[in-house]
Amino acid sequence: MVSSPTHGETASMIVVGGGIVGLATAREALLRRPGSDVVVLEKADDVATAQTGHNSGVIHAGLYYAPGSLKARLCKAGREHTTRFCDERGIDYRSIGKLVVATTPVEVDRMRSLAQRAKANGLELEEIEGSRLAEMEPNVRGLAALVSPTTGVVDFTQVARAMADQIIELGGRVVTGTQVLQIAERPDVVVVTTQTGEYRGKRLVGCAGLQADRLARMGGLDVDFRIVPFRGEYYQLPSRRSDVVRHLIYPVPDPALPFLGIHLSPSIDGRVTVGPNAVLGFAREGYRRGSVQLADVASYAFFPGMWRFAAKYARTGITEMGNSLFRRRYLELVRKYCPSIELTDLQPHPAGIRAQALLRSGLIVDDFLFRSTQRQLHLCNAPSPAATSAIPIASLLNDRLETTGTER
């Protein structure tokens, strides 16, 4: 998917970032304006190599999100759009359903609050008792559970590559192996200098994920947040345990914490993954354990919001680090609801990294975050369920470009 600059020509849109959201944005632009020149710039040698290619592959239904939030609205629409796209492009997916399992009376109360939130979002949901849970999942134990029948699984890398193929079919360009070095916004054009040449576009859309703050700053925007990487470490079960569960099995999340907890996820290829946890990362794209990039650490170590965040969640951070270092502690979290899992069942699996925007106040940005200039629009925070929601996010970004270039 390598292309070179077209000298002397100005593209209608340049999208920086070849993850699923960036590709969906370029695809949407071409569907709306057939024949236009849309260019996707990706620094890696292939699309979907960062967050898109390192997630759990869950097509979310939208259980957890505040009613009326962008996450709630875009996730519900995203599930429908994702499955429709998969049908159109022949991509395998399965709606296997999710069980959110409560193992203590406190979790039962939290589960019922979660059910009220999900129902306020118009989601299909069923509350079941422990006896019914045991019938549905003989290896899972709990006092009660929520059943989300429309939650599914897919390989989002396949989805992203199919989007890249469609962009090319529609006359767009996907340029891999080219890193953006400089962005200069002029009254009538945005000039993007890369390691492979110069690109000009009437508009630029930034979908840079883990590098979103740096790209926005490169474009001349006043960046009032910082991207902090959180490693999500996974294990996978051996093939002989691939039938341990039939549904996605999630714990009831603690509303005081920003992450969902360790879960069991049957994947589209037949494996079952365990995880993720959430530990502070020392490299934005350091997927290998022990990866450290000093510039990435410095970017948040000297940011006031990071110290305020750390003061609030210090105990949680220490606990997560311990769960990362000691596999037996990780196992204990799984055995709360699936006691048949053994230590030897936890086999290595690639980690993911979540790009989390953090404000100077120390607050986590819990929804989508946009920043813009006259000719640039940057998606600066795209939390889960961004992969599920990629197509409606793309529609929203294109709507914003069409209505105004100055909305912030």
Side-chain angles (χ1 to χ4, degrees):
M1 296 180 183
V2 179
S3 179
S4 58
T6 303
H7 298 287
E9 295 185 6
T10 300
S12 58
M13 179 189 292
I14 296 173
V15 178
V16 180
I20 192 169
V21 175
L23 294 166
T25 300
R27 169 184 174 271
E28 178 69 16
L30 288 161
L31 290 172
R32 292 188 184 197
R33 296 174 291 279
S36 58
D37 184 18
V38 177
V39 184
V40 179
L41 302 179
E42 167 56 47
K43 70 177 182 179
D45 291 333
D46 198 358
V47 298
T49 61
Q51 291 185 100
T52 302
H54 290 83
N55 66 28
S56 58
V58 177
I59 306 174
H60 291 280
L63 292 182
Y64 307 101
Y65 315 124
S69 66
L70 268 180
K71 283 208 293 189
R73 291 190 285 116
L74 296 178
C75 184
K76 185 178 180 182
R79 186 192 64 80
E80 298 170 358
H81 281 285
T82 298
T83 55
R84 187 180 308 133
F85 180 80
C86 289
D87 288 336
E88 292 171 354
R89 306 297 292 193
I91 299 170
D92 187 26
Y93 69 93
R94 290 183 290 139
S95 296
I96 62 174
K98 173 195 289 187
L99 300 179
V100 182
V101 178
T103 59
T104 67
V106 170
E107 289 183 353
V108 171
D109 290 339
R110 290 174 179 169
M111 184 198 78
R112 287 174 178 154
S113 297
L114 180 62
Q116 292 175 358
R117 171 179 285 198
K119 289 173 182 177
N121 285 325
L123 300 181
E124 183 181 351
L125 206 63
E126 180 185 1
E127 297 183 45
I128 62 173
E129 298 300 323
S131 57
R132 175 65 179 140
L133 169 63
E135 292 175 5
M136 295 179 67
E137 288 288 357
N139 292 311
V140 174
R141 299 290 181 268
L143 301 179
L146 293 180
V147 182
S148 170
T150 57
T151 302
V153 292
V154 74
D155 182 344
F156 279 114
T157 299
Q158 285 190 27
V159 176
R161 286 174 176 163
M163 288 181 176
D165 290 341
Q166 189 175 15
I167 289 167
I168 295 168
E169 291 166 11
L170 293 169
R173 291 180 281 159
V174 178
V175 187
T176 55
T178 186
Q179 184 169 356
V180 173
L181 304 175
Q182 185 176 353
I183 299 172
E185 181 174 339
R186 299 173 183 172
D188 60 341
V189 71
V190 180
V191 180
V192 180
T193 303
T194 78
Q195 64 191 109
T196 59
E198 185 178 277
Y199 296 81
R200 295 169 175 259
K202 295 178 181 178
R203 301 280 191 188
L204 180 143
V205 180
C207 297
L210 286 156
Q211 307 295 340
D213 53 344
R214 289 169 173 164
L215 186 74
R217 189 181 298 110
M218 191 183 297
L221 283 77
D222 181 18
V223 176
D224 57 350
F225 64 93
R226 193 72 81 246
I227 293 295
V228 178
F230 285 90
R231 280 178 61 84
E233 296 168 333
Y234 292 87
Y235 292 97
Q236 68 180 37
L237 301 183
S239 58
R240 59 182 173 79
R241 301 303 311 274
S242 61
D243 61 350
V244 67
V245 291
R246 296 187 291 267
H247 303 77
L248 295 150
I249 309 296
Y250 280 58
V252 175
D254 184 341
L257 302 178
F259 303 111
L260 294 180
I262 291 172
H263 41 271
L264 289 172
S265 301
S267 59
I268 198 67
D269 63 5
R271 293 178 297 174
V272 176
T273 61
V274 186
N277 59 0
V279 293
L280 183 64
F282 301 120
R284 294 198 187 192
E285 298 175 27
Y287 291 99
R288 291 185 178 181
R289 194 177 184 92
S291 296
V292 177
Q293 287 289 335
L294 294 181
D296 292 344
V297 175
S299 72
Y300 62 72
F302 296 104
F303 183 62
M306 185 63 200
W307 293 101
R308 298 182 177 110
F309 172 83
K312 183 177 180 180
Y313 292 108
R315 180 175 295 179
T316 301
I318 292 170
T319 299
E320 288 291 313
M321 188 64 70
N323 295 340
S324 171
L325 293 173
F326 302 104
R327 196 165 50 127
R328 190 171 293 280
R329 287 178 54 174
Y330 200 108
L331 175 69
E332 289 173 3
L333 298 175
V334 183
R335 287 174 63 94
K336 282 181 61 179
Y337 55 82
C338 191
S340 67
I341 301 297
E342 302 289 345
L343 192 64
T344 55
D345 292 331
L346 300 182
Q347 300 185 347
H349 186 80
I353 299 180
R354 170 176 173 166
Q356 178 61 62
L358 190 66
L359 301 178
R360 286 186 174 274
S361 64
L363 292 177
I364 277 180
V365 180
D366 193 41
D367 213 337
F368 297 97
L369 178 69
F370 305 90
R371 293 291 183 265
S372 63
T373 66
Q374 186 65 34
R375 293 195 171 274
Q376 298 178 63
L377 176 58
H378 292 257
L379 177 58
C380 297
N381 193 62
S384 177
T388 299
S389 307
I391 294 175
I393 294 170
S395 181
L396 177 63
L397 289 168
N398 278 274
D399 286 347
R400 289 193 173 207
L401 289 173
E402 290 175 358
T403 56
T404 175
T406 58
E407 183 178 351
R408 307 186 77 84

